[in-house]
Amino acid sequence: MKNERCFLMLMLAVSVNLLFAVNLCFSFQDKKDNKMLYQAIEALKLSEEIGDRLWPGYKLKEIPIAIYSPGGEAFLINHPSPPSGFEEVETSYSDEYKIYYTEKTNMFDAATATMVNGVLTAVIPCQKHFEKLSGKIKPTEEQIGTIFHEAFHVFQDNWKFPPINYIMFNKYPVFSAINNTLGNLEGKILAKALLESDISVVKSLARKFLAVRNERQSKFDRDMINYENGIELLEGLAFYIHKMLNKFKEESIPLTLSLIHISEPTRPLYISY
């Protein structure tokens, strides 16, 4: 009788473990069409379609990506060292991408490039979180643009830009009429230069731009100038990547997993004032 009881307990333990494994599998299978993962795969496929035409050497497949719901589930894609709690899952994309999943995590709290278990990773909140914060619908193509944007910050780390003193953000003259007016003038001059085909005119516009910028920044101390130039370099290039996706909408590059085409981002091209 004792042996039978031990056998039954052993079988029960095995059954529970098998059931847990099966439930985990089915739980993920239910989520394999999860919109967070779907959009990340869309971005990866689009990056492969575009190749080096967006930026030489910039490939999403080579960048670890985290997509998460705050305080909830999260996916890690192509991360070489996933933290504890993330399990590798099998999907129809497993031959191309390493995908890890956790049902609940508080590890992420912003759209950014940050260290995840010692590896710089592009971190992007889910579409619903953006919509909750803004009170507006965020189109799927805009979410894909955000993935490209944050992943580009990881790519930028290869260039080793000087560190940015973000404390200066609180001191920036956001409401200065003179600074904003001259900043807008800089933007207009640059826009005109970009549309100009005559190189002599472009050079003239470049000189005008520098004259206006030097005048505007003459009111700043060196720390503020370094802050503004650093933000413009770091965020400006990432917004450029975001904006350049419009070009591939015009070329009508179809995404692999849907009929979605990249449309005009709702956020403007970054111009530092």
Side-chain angles (χ1 to χ4, degrees):
M1 185 70 178
K2 185 176 181 180
N3 288 338
E4 289 181 359
R5 184 179 300 170
C6 289
F7 176 75
L8 288 172
M9 291 179 68
L10 178 62
M11 291 302 294
L12 179 61
V14 171
S15 298
V16 168
N17 281 316
L18 285 173
L19 183 61
F20 175 77
V22 170
N23 281 341
L24 180 62
C25 178
F26 277 115
S27 173
F28 181 72
Q29 288 301 316
D30 290 341
K31 298 174 184 294
K32 75 176 181 179
D33 293 326
N34 183 296
K35 202 169 186 180
M36 292 192 295
L37 176 60
Y38 173 80
Q39 290 169 337
I41 298 298
E42 290 263 7
L44 285 158
K45 294 293 185 183
L46 181 59
S47 176
E48 291 176 19
E49 292 279 352
I50 294 172
D52 279 350
R53 289 177 291 165
L54 190 58
W55 191 281
Y58 177 47
K59 298 179 176 65
L60 285 189
K61 191 173 182 178
E62 297 176 357
I63 295 171
I65 296 172
I67 309 285
Y68 74 98
S69 176
E73 61 183 344
F75 292 95
L76 274 176
I77 303 170
N78 292 339
H79 196 287
S81 180
S84 175
F86 281 85
E87 299 291 336
E88 185 173 358
V89 291
E90 292 293 325
T91 73
S92 55
Y93 321 116
S94 295
D95 289 342
E96 301 172 82
Y97 317 114
K98 287 284 188 181
I99 300 174
Y100 303 89
Y101 175 76
T102 185
E103 289 188 351
K104 187 175 180 63
T105 182
N106 292 305
M107 185 179 298
F108 311 122
D109 61 3
T112 186
T114 190
M115 289 293 181
V116 176
N117 209 26
V119 179
L120 192 61
T121 303
V123 177
I124 301 97
C126 65
Q127 188 173 356
K128 286 184 179 179
H129 180 62
F130 280 114
E131 292 176 346
K132 183 178 179 181
L133 290 177
S134 67
K136 301 176 182 178
I137 298 296
K138 183 175 186 179
T140 292
E141 57 267 31
E142 174 66 8
Q143 178 72 353
I144 290 172
T146 301
I147 294 172
F148 271 86
H149 178 120
E150 299 303 337
F152 194 75
H153 284 318
V154 177
F155 180 72
Q156 284 175 313
D157 187 62
N158 296 322
W159 303 336
K160 304 302 178 187
F161 291 152
I164 296 172
N165 181 7
Y166 286 98
I167 294 176
M168 300 304 296
F169 172 80
N170 295 321
K171 300 179 180 180
Y172 194 82
V174 177
F175 300 109
S176 167
I178 294 176
N179 189 60
N180 291 340
T181 300
L182 291 177
N184 283 325
L185 181 57
E186 287 176 27
K188 289 179 179 179
I189 295 170
L190 280 179
K192 188 174 181 181
L194 289 171
L195 296 174
E196 182 58 59
S197 57
D198 187 329
I199 190 63
S200 63
V201 176
V202 172
K203 289 180 178 180
S204 174
L205 290 168
R207 287 191 290 269
K208 289 180 181 178
F209 164 79
L210 290 173
V212 175
R213 167 154 292 202
N214 288 337
E215 172 62 25
R216 182 176 61 80
Q217 289 190 335
S218 68
K219 310 298 189 296
F220 294 168
D221 61 24
R222 175 47 57 184
D223 287 341
M224 185 61 75
I225 292 173
N226 289 341
Y227 166 75
E228 183 182 74
N229 290 346
I231 286 292
E232 188 172 63
L233 184 63
L234 191 70
E235 290 296 338
L237 288 177
F239 273 108
Y240 167 81
I241 291 298
H242 201 146
K243 196 76 172 178
M244 277 295 290
L245 290 173
N246 295 332
K247 176 181 178 181
F248 302 104
K249 170 205 170 185
E250 294 170 4
E251 292 181 4
S252 298
I253 294 179
L255 300 190
T256 305
L257 304 179
S258 75
L259 297 178
I260 296 171
H261 294 264
I262 294 298
S263 67
E264 183 76 15
T266 56
R267 291 185 291 183
L269 179 64
Y270 180 84
I271 298 177
S272 178
Y273 298 149

